[in-house]
Amino acid sequence: MVVQGSADTRDIRAGVRLEPFLHQVGGHLSVMKYDEQTVCKPLISQEQRFYESLPLAMKRFTPQYKGTITVHLWRDSRGHLSLVAPPLKENREPFKVSPESAAVAIWQTLQQTTSGGGSRPLAQLAHSLKESPAKALLRPEFHLNTQVSSLVQDANGNQVERRSFNPWGLQCHQAHLTRLCAEYPEDKCHRFLLLENVVSQYTHPCILDLKMGTRQHGDDASEEKKARHMRKCAQSTSACLGVRICGMQVYQADKKHFLCKDKYYGRKLSVEGFRQSLYQFLHNGNRLRTELLEPILHQLQALLSVIRSQSSYRFYSSSLLIIYDGQELPERTPGGLQPQEAPQKARGSAPGGLAKVDIRMIDFAHTTYKGSWDEQTTYDGPDPGYIFGLENLIGILQDIQEGE
């Protein structure tokens, strides 16, 4: 992560308080919500350079890159920690997080339960941990979901819909702030990437985060890290399928909450378990969303064609998101319009009458290509591991479509 000099506290108080992004289902870096259409994440130079030199053919399959911002760590009078960014120049007024925001309510409740009730504050916890704070807080035994889901209230004291968020993003956010408290003073500046919020148009975004390829370590990985990532691949579906589940949330219409799975779940899956998890991702508790399969397969086939055409690229440790809305569109009337629907296209629909889905590649911190910085190794042809994973993913989804 890029760190800069000291911050001006006057700028901090006039800025945008970033929200935890409650739809982060995988990864380890904290993704924050800047506004409804924009998220941000800690800047890694190699990922920034990838977005700035992105081939035109890949742009439809990646989040829109919106530049960078400076972020500061700030503690309010009640001791609540926040990350604060300046408003974008094109915005006339700073974007202000509503005090009724569920994300803010959840995060403040978490901080209160972490720093109260006999538990140590985040900064003290960071100093006392013998291992990396991020690693400690992201361990599977850190049961954040049970700690938060039954306690959360909004600013008016009303109970927030139980388990209506994915706890993984909060774990990443807590780990990130803990590390910042331990390693940097509060007046330090940190650079973040600004990216399109690819789930902003969905009411109940169902998200599958897939780690693609048979190799996950970058060319610059240490021998220890290389061995660790090779072991993870060998012990998971990454080796035999070229893809493994890194996180998932799927809206259960019968229970009105998200079913969430994390990367530890995904690492343990067999090939058959992976197939069953894809089926589960497309099932809303009442039925299999079969109408999603055609548009998902159509976009995956289009992405496969694009990846096959990109010579020298290796997307090590990158992920692929499959996204759809857990809120189903009302059934259409015989006249073709939805009940009480104006003639314009309905939210969540797509051209040709197909259900709206999104396929997006993310996380390019270890992506390498001809002309990228510090290229110790250059490669010829398209990424074989990524292609292998896409072909197997398409094959399994086709089996589900055919009812096998």
Side-chain angles (χ1 to χ4, degrees):
M1 185 179 69
V2 176
V3 180
Q4 296 183 321
S6 297
D8 185 335
T9 56
R10 291 173 298 178
D11 293 335
I12 292 176
R13 296 180 183 180
V16 176
R17 186 175 66 167
L18 304 178
E19 288 191 38
F21 183 56
L22 296 183
H23 296 300
Q24 179 179 355
V25 303
H28 65 278
L29 293 179
S30 178
V31 177
M32 305 294 294
K33 180 180 174 182
Y34 183 89
D35 61 24
E36 289 301 323
Q37 286 76 42
T38 313
V39 296
C40 56
K41 61 185 290 193
L43 187 153
I44 296 174
S45 298
Q46 192 165 345
E47 184 167 33
Q48 180 187 11
R49 278 186 284 267
F50 170 82
Y51 277 112
E52 290 178 344
S53 63
L54 188 64
L56 183 61
M58 293 184 62
K59 286 193 173 182
R60 63 176 288 205
F61 295 109
T62 55
Q64 179 190 355
Y65 172 62
K66 300 185 177 185
T68 68
I69 52 169
T70 300
V71 172
H72 314 106
L73 183 65
W74 178 63
R75 190 188 305 271
D76 67 16
S77 59
R78 293 176 294 175
H80 292 150
L81 288 168
S82 299
L83 288 170
V84 179
L88 291 178
K89 292 180 180 179
E90 57 265 30
N91 292 345
R92 294 183 179 180
E93 297 291 335
F95 172 80
K96 297 189 181 300
V97 176
S98 166
E100 288 77 33
S101 163
V104 171
I106 291 167
W107 175 239
Q108 291 185 353
T109 300
L110 174 62
Q111 291 194 71
Q112 290 165 358
T113 57
T114 305
S115 58
S119 298
R120 292 163 291 179
L122 291 177
Q124 295 179 17
L125 177 62
H127 286 297
S128 65
L129 288 171
K130 294 182 179 179
E131 60 183 314
S132 159
K135 288 183 179 178
L137 291 174
L138 292 177
R139 288 179 303 186
E141 59 267 28
F142 187 78
H143 297 297
L144 178 62
N145 57 335
T146 57
Q147 181 184 23
V148 175
S149 63
S150 61
L151 296 173
V152 172
Q153 295 179 340
D154 64 19
N156 298 321
N158 300 315
Q159 194 78 15
V160 175
E161 184 181 354
R162 184 176 176 85
R163 299 182 67 83
S164 62
F165 64 94
N166 192 311
W168 185 258
L170 288 173
Q171 292 181 221
C172 292
H173 186 51
Q174 183 171 22
H176 186 208
L177 288 191
T178 300
R179 184 170 68 84
L180 292 182
C181 287
E183 297 179 9
Y184 305 105
E186 288 187 24
D187 63 348
K188 283 291 183 183
C189 303
H190 307 272
R191 295 294 292 174
F192 275 48
L193 291 175
L194 284 169
L195 299 168
E196 173 192 3
N197 176 4
V198 297
V199 304
S200 62
Q201 61 188 298
Y202 298 101
T203 304
H204 298 304
C206 298
I207 308 167
L208 182 63
D209 185 326
L210 298 168
K211 188 71 74 173
M212 300 300 295
T214 54
R215 169 181 156 176
Q216 301 303 325
H217 61 275
D219 289 332
D220 59 345
S222 64
E223 289 302 317
E224 184 274 334
K225 186 174 183 179
K226 178 179 177 181
R228 186 172 72 250
H229 281 283
M230 290 176 68
R231 186 165 57 250
K232 288 177 186 176
C233 288
Q235 295 173 350
S236 69
T237 56
S238 291
C240 53
L241 292 178
V243 55
R244 74 170 182 263
I245 290 176
C246 198
M248 179 176 83
Q249 69 177 36
V250 53
Y251 189 71
Q252 301 295 278
D254 57 335
K255 299 176 182 177
K256 300 190 184 308
H257 70 67
F258 285 108
L259 171 68
C260 302
K261 303 292 184 181
D262 61 23
K263 65 180 182 181
Y264 302 103
Y265 164 84
R267 287 179 191 171
K268 297 175 183 178
L269 291 175
S270 63
V271 172
E272 181 55 32
F274 180 85
R275 293 174 183 269
Q276 292 175 3
S277 294
L278 285 187
Y279 185 94
Q280 185 178 48
F281 173 65
L282 298 168
H283 201 288
N284 67 3
N286 294 322
R287 68 179 187 91
L288 182 68
R289 298 282 303 275
T290 52
E291 75 277 11
L292 299 169
L293 284 160
E294 183 179 348
I296 289 174
L297 285 166
H298 177 75
Q299 290 198 38
L300 288 176
Q301 292 281 9
L303 174 60
L304 180 58
S305 296
V306 170
I307 297 298
R308 283 173 171 162
S309 69
Q310 301 303 315
S311 180
S312 84
Y313 279 82
R314 295 297 181 269
F315 301 98
Y316 299 136
S317 197
S318 72
S319 285
L320 183 67
L321 301 182
I322 301 178
I323 309 162
Y324 70 89
D325 203 331
Q327 176 169 296
E328 299 185 65
L329 294 173
E331 291 187 8
R332 294 185 177 273
T333 64
L337 292 180
Q338 296 180 15
Q340 300 179 339
E341 182 194 0
Q344 69 265 26
K345 188 171 65 177
R347 182 185 186 185
S349 64
L354 296 178
K356 169 66 176 173
V357 301
D358 263 314
I359 304 295
R360 301 294 184 104
M361 301 173 70
I362 60 168
D363 298 339
F364 303 104
H366 301 288
T367 294
T368 182
Y369 50 94
K370 188 175 181 180
S372 63
W373 80 290
D374 193 26
E375 51 181 59
Q376 301 174 358
T377 307
T378 55
Y379 301 91
D380 294 323
D383 188 333
Y386 204 107
I387 291 172
F388 179 65
L390 271 180
E391 289 175 338
N392 283 316
L393 176 62
I394 289 169
I396 293 171
L397 287 171
Q398 286 174 336
D399 289 344
I400 294 174
Q401 186 180 41
E402 294 167 4
E404 294 183 9

